[in-house]
């Protein structure tokens, strides 16, 4: 077919072939872009997974650091404590509380004091088999006896509905000043003597009041708590192994 008719058909056939090649190249390019997009999505998902894993490990490291600090304090304090992790919190107009992951199965009972290595946190008020509710020191339903460490004057430390902490019934002639440390007096069964509560922020006394009133800035930042220690007894823990008396026989 080398005649005129063949030459007439040659141009459109070449055009069709060129269009087919263009379509094929366009399709191949689309497939390549699609594969690249899918690879990109997979990479994004992998980056997000690794970022989440990094954040998770960072959180575990922060909590582990706090627990190490608590355990180091636990080894030096002259009382028996049980470490617990905070698994919930409630700060509302009704009450200010945290939930810990230890309960009566672990030996936790109501009225036990709760602390950190820094100072006083609050008191256990309700216990379940595996959890317990702790009212914070800033809750108006918690009151403990405190003492101005410098002057040795005692008063009642209690939270307020606004979340502040007051020291009531300070003697009218007490030389208490802003900045004075406040510690537990040890007169109740929940806290031993000398645990840090905070520092006096402000002292007020109206003309009609018999006592001074101190506002306390707490030593513990309740909003950033991750773990606590529950005071189970004021006595130090028994050593795991006692030395044997001289002349005793091995079992």
């Amino acid at each position: 077919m080398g005649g005129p008719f063949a030459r007439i058909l040659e141009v459109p056939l070449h055009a069709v072939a060129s269009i087919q090649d263009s379509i094929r190249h366009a399709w191949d390019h689309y497939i390549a872009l699609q594969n690249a997009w899918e690879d990109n999505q997979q990479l994004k998902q992998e980056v997000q997974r690794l970022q989440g894993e990094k954040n998770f490990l960072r959180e575990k490291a922060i909590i582990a650091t706090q627990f190490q600090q608590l355990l180091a304090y636990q080894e030096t304090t002259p009382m028996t404590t049980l470490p617990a992790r905070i698994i919930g919190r409630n700060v509302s107009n009704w009450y200010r509380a945290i939930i810990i992951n230890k309960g009566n199965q672990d030996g936790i009972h109501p009225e036990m004091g709760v602390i950190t290595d820094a100072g006083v946190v609050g008191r256990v008020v309700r216990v379940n088999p595996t959890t317990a509710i702790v009212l914070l020191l800033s809750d108006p339903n918690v009151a403990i006896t405190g003492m101005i460490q410098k002057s040795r004057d005692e008063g009642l430390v209690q939270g307020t509905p606004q979340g502040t902490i007051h020291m009531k019934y300070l003697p009218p002639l007490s030389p208490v000043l802003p900045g004075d440390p406040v510690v537990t007096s040890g007169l109740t069964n929940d806290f031993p003597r000398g645990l840090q509560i905070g520092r006096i922020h402000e002292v007020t006394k109206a003309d009609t009041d018999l006592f001074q009133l101190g506002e306390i800035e707490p030593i513990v930042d309740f909003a950033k708590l991750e773990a606590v220690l529950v005071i189970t007894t004021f006595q130090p823990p028994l050593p795991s192994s006692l030395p044997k008396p001289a002349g005793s026989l091995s079992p």
Side-chain angles (χ1 to χ4, degrees):
M1 296 180 56
F5 184 70
R7 286 194 296 273
I8 292 172
L9 291 177
E10 185 176 358
V11 174
L13 287 176
H14 279 302
V16 170
S18 178
I19 292 172
Q20 289 178 338
D21 289 340
S22 298
I23 292 174
R24 187 179 301 109
H25 288 316
W27 178 254
D28 291 342
H29 183 64
Y30 169 77
I31 293 297
L33 289 176
Q34 182 70 19
N35 291 336
W37 182 84
E38 292 176 352
D39 291 342
N40 188 43
Q41 292 299 110
Q42 291 178 357
L43 288 174
K44 285 183 178 180
Q45 293 176 0
E46 181 67 12
V47 168
Q48 291 175 352
R49 185 188 69 80
L50 292 174
Q51 186 66 41
E53 184 175 336
K54 177 182 176 182
N55 291 334
F56 176 74
L57 293 175
R58 183 186 291 120
E59 281 298 311
K60 289 189 67 175
I62 292 173
I63 294 175
T65 299
Q66 290 197 13
F67 262 100
Q68 288 175 355
Q69 293 173 347
L70 289 179
L71 293 176
Y73 174 76
Q74 187 182 34
E75 292 177 357
T76 61
T77 185
M79 54 187 170
T80 303
T81 58
L82 181 67
R85 184 165 57 88
I86 295 172
I87 57 175
R89 63 180 72 239
N90 187 309
V91 180
S92 65
N93 293 330
W94 297 102
Y95 63 95
R96 290 171 172 81
I98 56 175
I99 303 172
I100 59 175
N101 68 336
K102 297 293 173 64
N104 55 26
Q105 291 182 356
D106 307 287
I108 305 296
H109 303 291
E111 301 302 317
M112 285 182 170
V114 180
I115 61 174
T116 68
D117 54 319
V120 176
V121 173
R123 181 188 289 128
V124 176
V125 293
R126 183 179 300 176
V127 180
N128 299 311
T130 58
T131 61
I133 297 177
V134 177
L135 283 186
L136 300 175
L137 194 57
S138 57
D139 189 281
N141 296 300
V142 174
I144 65 174
T145 55
M147 178 176 64
I148 305 296
Q149 196 168 38
K150 183 182 298 184
S151 68
R152 318 307 287 175
D153 292 309
E154 296 178 353
L156 186 69
V157 177
Q158 187 173 19
T160 68
Q162 294 74 33
T164 57
I165 302 172
H166 286 169
M167 189 169 188
K168 302 177 179 179
Y169 311 123
L170 285 169
L173 299 180
S174 172
V176 55
L177 295 171
D180 285 351
V182 182
V183 298
T184 54
S185 66
L187 298 180
T188 52
N189 295 326
D190 43 10
F191 298 100
R193 191 181 186 91
L195 295 179
Q196 288 286 335
I197 295 175
R199 290 184 178 273
I200 294 294
H201 175 68
E202 184 181 12
V203 182
T204 58
K205 180 181 179 300
D207 294 336
T208 56
D209 292 339
L210 295 177
F211 301 97
Q212 297 185 84
L213 177 69
E215 182 178 334
I216 298 176
E217 182 178 350
I219 193 71
V220 175
D221 187 346
F222 304 126
K224 296 182 180 179
L225 285 175
E226 300 280 356
V228 295
L229 294 172
V230 182
I231 303 173
T232 55
T233 174
F234 290 2
Q235 301 299 320
L238 294 175
S240 56
S241 59
L242 296 174
K244 297 177 181 178
S248 62
L249 299 176
S250 300

